[in-house]
Amino acid sequence: MESANNRDVKVSLVHQRPPIWRNVAVLKWLAQFAVLFTVLGLFWLLASEAQENLQRRGIPAGYNWLSGPANFQLGEGIQTVDSPERRLTMSRALWVGMVNTLRVAAIGIVLSTILGVFIGVSRLSKNFIANRFASAFVETMRNIPLLVQILFWFVILGSLAPLAADSGPIPGWLIVSQKGISIPRVFLADGFYQFVAMLVVFAVPLWFIRRTLKRRQDDLGGNQRVTSTTVAYLSVSTLVAWFLNPVMGFLGGVLDSVATAWNAIPAQIIRGLFGVLIIWFAGARIRSLLNSRRTPVGFAKLTDNDWFQMLFTAFAAGVAALVVVRFRPGITTWFVESVGNFWSFLGAKFGDGRGAQPIDAMLPTLTEGRFINISNTGLTMSVFFASLLFGLVFYTSSYIAEVVRGGILAVPRGQSEAALALGFTRGQMLRKVVLPQAFRVIMPPLGNQYLNITKNTSLGIAVGFSEIVQVGQTAYNKNSQTLAVFSIYIAFFLLCSLSISAVVNTINRRLAIVER
C-alpha cells in the first residue's frame, strides 16, 4: 500500500507538457504571427485601395516612372541637369537627393559629436568662462526649435555681401558670400588606388611585426615599444608608397580581366548561388542557436520557443531564396551588373593612375563673366547646405553635450582620484580613464541623436536644399506618384536608421564589460 502511494506521488511530480492550446510559447508565437499577418493584410488592403483610386483618376500606379526623364533641375549634388554622359532620370534625381541627405547627415554627425564632447566636458570644467559659456550654449540651443535655427542661419548667410573679385575674409583661401562658403579642397587623385594597394602590401609585414612585439612583451615584460614601432613603420611605409605607387599599375589589367570573367558568368548560376547563400545564413543562425544551448554534457533540452525560432528561420530563408531565384530574377541581374561595373571602375582607375600622385588639393577660385560665381575648384557649401548643416550641428550638439556630461558624472569619482594619485594630468585622466568608461553610458543615447540628425535632414526642404524629401516633392508634383514617392522615403530612412542602429549596437557590444 505504501509503495503504491509513493508511486502515485512520483507520477504526479513528473512534468507533463501542457496541451497546445495552453502552451505559453505556442500562444506567444501564434499571437506574433497573427499581428504580423494582420499588419501585412492592412498594408495590402490600403495599397490596393490606393491603387484602385489612382487608376479611377487615370493615374498609373507603380514605379515605371522612375526610368523616365526628370525634366527639372536640381539645386546641387553629384548631377543637377542632363548631360551627354548620363541622363537625369527620376531615379537618378532621387539618388542625387539621397546622396545629398547622406552627405549632410554624415558631416553633421561628425561635427556635432566633436562639438558636443567639447561642450559637455567644458560644462564640468572649473574654468569659470568655459563653464558659463558651455552652459549658455546648451540652454540656448536646445530650447530653440531646430526649424527656427535653420531659418536663422539661412537669413544670416543670405544677407552676406555679394561676390566680388576680392571676396574674403581670406581671398584665395576662404570665400564667404551670398553664394556660399568655399575653402581649399583636398581630393583623391588618380594615383590613390595604387597608393592604397601599396599600403596593403606593406601592412602584411606590419601585422607580423606588431604581433611578434606584443607576444614578446607578454612573455618577457618590459616596454617593447609596440606603438612607437608601429607609428614609425607606418610613416616610412606611407612615404615609400607615395613615390612607388605606380608599381601597382599592373593591377588595372588584372581587374579588367576579373570584370570580364564576372560578366561572363550566367545569371542562373548567380541566382543559384544567392539561394545557397541565403540557406547557408539560415543554417548558420540555427547552428548558432543550438551552440548557445550546448552544455558540457551535450545539448540542453530545447524549449518550444527555440523550436519556433528555428522553424521560422528556415521558413523565412526558404521564402527569400524562392523569391530571389524564381520570382524576382531582376535582383540578381542588378547585383551582377553592379559588381561588374565596380571591377571595371577599379580597373580603369588603376590603369589611368600610373605615375599620378595619390592626393591633390586646389584653392577656391572665382569665375568672372556676366556674373561672378564660385568655381568648383574648392570645397564649396551652398547657403542652403550650410544653413541646414549649421542648424543640425548646433542643435544636436547641445543634446550630445548633456549626454556626455551625464556619462562623465556616471563614472565613480574614485576613478579620477586614483588616476590623479598615479600622477596623471587632468587631460590624461580624462582621455585614458574617465571617457573610456563614460562611453559605455554615452553610446545608447548618442545613437539616438545620430538617428535624429539623419531624420531631421528632411527639414532642408524649408530652405530649398535638394535632399531626398525636396527632390521627391518635386517628383510627385510632376507625375502625381505621391504614394510611390512616400514609399521610397520610408524605405530610405528606415534603411538609414537600421544601419546607424547596427553600428551603434556593435560599438555597444565592444564597449561592454565582459564578465568571467
Side-chain angles (χ1 to χ4, degrees):
M1 189 69 176
E2 184 178 353
S3 60
N5 291 335
N6 291 338
R7 201 163 45 246
D8 293 338
V9 172
K10 290 179 180 179
V11 171
S12 64
L13 292 177
V14 175
H15 174 71
Q16 296 181 354
R17 184 185 295 271
I20 191 170
W21 60 85
R22 290 174 52 195
N23 192 312
V24 176
V26 174
L27 294 177
K28 181 183 71 174
W29 279 90
L30 288 177
Q32 293 184 37
F33 277 118
V35 172
L36 174 63
F37 287 121
T38 301
V39 172
L40 292 178
L42 181 61
F43 273 110
W44 178 81
L45 178 63
L46 294 175
S48 301
E49 188 69 20
Q51 185 177 10
E52 184 179 345
N53 292 334
L54 290 174
Q55 290 177 351
R56 190 180 299 115
R57 296 171 58 188
I59 301 174
Y63 296 91
N64 295 330
W65 55 273
L66 288 172
S67 59
N71 293 328
F72 60 86
Q73 182 175 350
L74 300 178
E76 58 185 289
I78 55 177
Q79 184 179 353
T80 57
V81 295
D82 277 325
S83 65
E85 295 80 13
R86 183 186 289 272
R87 292 176 59 228
L88 185 64
T89 60
M90 283 291 189
S91 60
R92 179 69 176 175
L94 289 171
W95 171 247
V96 173
M98 293 178 188
V99 172
N100 287 341
T101 297
L102 294 175
R103 183 163 50 188
V104 70
I107 298 174
I109 286 173
V110 173
L111 294 182
S112 61
T113 302
I114 296 173
L115 182 60
V117 171
F118 176 77
I119 295 295
V121 172
S122 298
R123 286 208 70 182
L124 299 173
S125 174
K126 295 182 178 180
N127 184 291
F128 179 81
I129 297 178
N131 184 287
R132 293 304 177 187
F133 174 79
S135 299
F137 177 89
V138 170
E139 296 301 330
T140 301
M141 293 299 172
R142 72 175 183 174
N143 288 303
I144 299 177
L146 175 57
L147 182 59
V148 175
Q149 295 193 38
I150 293 173
L151 294 175
F152 169 78
W153 287 109
F154 182 70
V155 172
I156 293 296
L157 295 174
S159 62
L160 294 174
L163 276 174
D166 58 346
S167 293
I170 308 177
W173 288 86
L174 176 61
I175 300 174
V176 180
S177 73
Q178 290 178 342
K179 294 293 183 70
I181 303 172
S182 187
I183 59 177
R185 178 167 68 98
V186 179
F187 60 93
L188 306 180
D190 291 335
F192 176 76
Y193 298 90
Q194 294 91 325
F195 173 69
V196 172
M198 183 66 72
L199 283 181
V200 171
V201 172
F202 287 141
V204 176
L206 172 62
W207 183 80
F208 285 103
I209 293 173
R210 185 176 177 84
R211 182 182 179 186
T212 302
L213 290 176
K214 293 189 73 173
R215 183 185 296 129
R216 184 182 301 172
Q217 182 169 291
D218 293 338
D219 295 339
L220 304 178
N223 184 9
Q224 299 297 330
R225 302 185 181 277
V226 179
T227 303
S228 58
T229 303
T230 302
V231 172
Y233 183 91
L234 283 176
S235 302
V236 174
S237 299
T238 304
L239 185 63
V240 173
W242 184 277
F243 294 101
L244 291 184
N245 71 84
V247 175
M248 307 302 293
F250 74 94
L251 290 175
V254 175
L255 294 172
D256 285 334
S257 301
V258 172
T260 303
W262 175 266
N263 291 327
I265 300 176
Q268 294 83 353
I269 296 179
I270 300 297
R271 288 201 294 269
L273 290 176
F274 258 108
V276 172
L277 189 63
I278 291 172
I279 299 299
W280 182 85
F281 272 114
R285 176 70 182 87
I286 294 173
R287 186 169 58 252
S288 174
L289 176 63
L290 292 174
N291 289 335
S292 67
R293 302 296 186 268
R294 191 184 297 275
T295 63
V297 295
F299 285 111
K301 186 176 181 180
L302 297 177
T303 63
D304 293 333
N305 190 47
D306 296 333
W307 283 108
F308 272 106
Q309 286 190 47
M310 291 190 292
L311 291 174
F312 181 76
T313 302
F315 173 76
V319 172
L322 189 63
V323 168
V324 170
V325 175
R326 183 70 178 173
F327 297 107
R328 294 293 181 186
I331 297 176
T332 53
T333 303
W334 170 82
F335 175 78
V336 170
E337 292 178 353
S338 300
V339 174
N341 293 336
F342 171 74
W343 291 119
S344 300
F345 168 79
L346 288 182
K349 287 297 182 180
F350 273 91
D352 297 340
R354 295 175 180 176
Q357 61 184 12
I359 299 174
D360 205 347
M362 290 190 297
L363 295 175
T365 56
L366 299 175
T367 56
E368 297 188 13
R370 185 177 180 183
F371 299 101
I372 299 177
N373 288 306
I374 301 175
S375 64
N376 58 0
T377 57
L379 183 62
T380 303
M381 293 188 296
S382 67
V383 173
F384 317 106
F385 181 94
S387 57
L388 176 61
L389 179 64
F390 291 167
L392 288 173
V393 168
F394 289 119
Y395 179 79
T396 310
S397 62
S398 63
Y399 284 91
I400 293 179
E402 288 297 275
V403 170
V404 171
R405 184 174 72 94
I408 293 175
L409 292 176
V411 178
R413 188 175 182 84
Q415 297 287 319
S416 56
E417 293 176 350
L420 294 175
L422 291 173
F424 282 49
T425 64
R426 291 192 174 273
Q428 291 174 330
M429 173 197 70
L430 188 65
R431 294 194 313 270
K432 298 183 178 182
V433 177
V434 177
L435 283 181
Q437 298 181 72
F439 269 104
R440 294 194 182 101
V441 181
I442 291 172
M443 280 310 300
L446 195 61
N448 291 335
Q449 297 305 320
Y450 293 162
L451 294 175
N452 289 337
I453 288 180
T454 306
K455 291 180 287 189
N456 287 336
T457 55
S458 58
L459 292 175
I461 192 174
V463 292
F465 177 64
S466 298
E467 42 78 42
I468 177 65
V469 176
Q470 195 269 345
V471 176
Q473 184 188 53
T474 305
Y476 68 67
N477 283 338
K478 282 187 169 293
N479 55 23
S480 301
Q481 294 289 344
T482 308
L483 186 63
V485 171
F486 270 83
S487 68
I488 295 174
Y489 290 166
I490 293 171
F492 173 72
F493 282 107
L494 182 62
L495 180 61
C496 291
S497 299
L498 292 177
S499 301
I500 294 173
S501 298
V503 172
V504 172
N505 290 336
T506 301
I507 297 175
N508 261 336
R509 287 192 295 269
R510 296 294 299 271
L511 292 177
I513 298 177
V514 180
E515 298 182 358
R516 298 182 179 178

